[in-house]
Amino acid sequence: MHFALSIFTGLLCWELLAHFAIIDPRFFPAPTSILAYLVFESVTDGLPKHVAVSMWRIAAGFTIGSVLGVAVGVIMGLMPRVRRIIYPWISVTYPLPKIALFPLIMLVLGLGDAPKITVIALGSFFLVLINTLQGIDGSPKIYRDLAVVYRVRYWQQVFHIVIPSAAPTIFAGLKLALGYSFVMMVASEFSGADSGLGYIIWQSWETFSIKAMYAGIFVVGVLGMVGNYTLDWTERRCLPWYRPHA
């Protein structure tokens, strides 16, 4: 209820400001006009196709980066020797802006979906890995000590104690990575692309199709919100014992 009221109030204020020309409607068109574009014109302009293309890139890149991030994070957390070898490389490569590597990735992989999926996967990988590693490090040592006392097998300790205790932090990393994936998706589609939401936003800016530009931005925001709520729902189902908002 509070969420809907907040969104409605914000849009109403925007609508009134545009209607009374307090803000320039050429640059800040009223929400109703953007909605009218989405309903009556977006299909003609091919927006659904661009949404589908972007969602495919997001799904592929986020999945690949997240799976690898969790796997490498768990391995580094459980194996100190591996951690000492890999961590310096993580420290060097993590601060690099991933979008700055995009020209190099395009040079190697070409102009198709592969470089865009790769840059999304890279952005997701580091965020999930770091949060997974933090979750493994924060796992209460007493649980593992008790497991040793009761002679619980090593792999049972990993899958029934270590990973579940780290799961809330892993999910935090997944949520951060999902948001960053949308940033990488849009940025990578600004250049070297002929489809996708980023392409639509950039092309609309170049042709001064302001309503189409706002429609693309709006769709990105809605998709990001849906993805975040989906992860929240998944977290509640997978971690019934964890209630951060209780």
Side-chain angles (χ1 to χ4, degrees):
M1 181 63 183
H2 294 291
F3 169 80
L5 182 61
S6 175
I7 294 295
F8 175 78
T9 303
L11 292 176
L12 179 61
C13 291
W14 182 359
E15 181 74 27
L16 293 174
L17 290 172
H19 179 76
F20 292 106
I22 299 173
I23 57 177
D24 193 335
R26 293 175 300 172
F27 306 121
F28 303 98
T32 50
S33 64
I34 299 171
L35 179 62
Y37 170 83
L38 284 169
V39 173
F40 300 110
E41 301 178 48
S42 62
V43 175
T44 304
D45 290 348
L47 185 61
K49 180 196 75 172
H50 293 289
V51 171
V53 170
S54 291
M55 289 309 297
W56 150 245
R57 292 166 180 163
I58 281 279
F62 175 72
T63 301
I64 293 170
S66 298
V67 170
L68 289 176
V70 171
V72 175
V74 169
I75 291 171
M76 289 176 64
L78 295 175
M79 300 180 181
R81 290 183 180 178
V82 175
R83 181 173 182 162
R84 285 194 291 269
I85 294 171
I86 297 178
Y87 195 78
W89 291 99
I90 300 298
S91 300
V92 170
T93 53
Y94 172 64
L96 294 174
K98 307 307 174 288
I99 199 63
L101 301 175
F102 189 56
L104 174 61
I105 296 172
M106 282 199 299
L107 186 66
V108 175
L109 299 178
L111 297 175
D113 284 348
K116 299 168 185 62
I117 292 172
T118 300
V119 78
I120 293 170
L122 279 174
S124 300
F125 170 76
F126 286 100
L127 289 171
V128 175
L129 183 150
I130 290 170
N131 277 271
T132 300
L133 190 57
Q134 183 66 33
I136 297 294
D137 289 345
S139 176
K141 188 174 182 297
I142 190 172
Y143 295 163
R144 293 189 235 183
D145 292 340
L146 284 172
V148 171
V149 170
Y150 286 100
R151 298 181 181 179
V152 177
R153 294 179 181 178
Y154 179 75
W155 289 111
Q156 289 179 320
Q157 295 181 37
V158 172
F159 287 106
H160 295 286
I161 297 175
V162 177
I163 293 180
S165 66
T169 309
I170 294 173
F171 268 99
L174 291 173
K175 293 172 188 176
L176 289 171
L178 182 63
Y180 196 61
S181 293
F182 277 92
V183 175
M184 291 293 99
M185 178 268 290
V186 172
S188 67
E189 291 174 348
F190 277 170
S191 62
D194 57 4
S195 61
L197 287 167
Y199 168 77
I200 277 286
I201 294 169
W202 189 257
Q203 185 189 53
S204 300
W205 174 81
E206 289 183 325
T207 59
F208 206 69
S209 302
I210 302 301
K211 292 179 185 177
M213 184 181 73
Y214 272 94
I217 295 170
F218 174 78
V219 170
V220 171
V222 170
L223 291 174
M225 180 187 69
V226 171
N228 193 61
Y229 274 96
T230 300
L231 281 176
D232 281 338
W233 180 87
T234 305
E235 182 181 23
R236 288 194 298 269
R237 294 300 181 275
C238 294
L239 312 180
W241 67 89
Y242 182 66
R243 288 291 182 270
H245 304 299

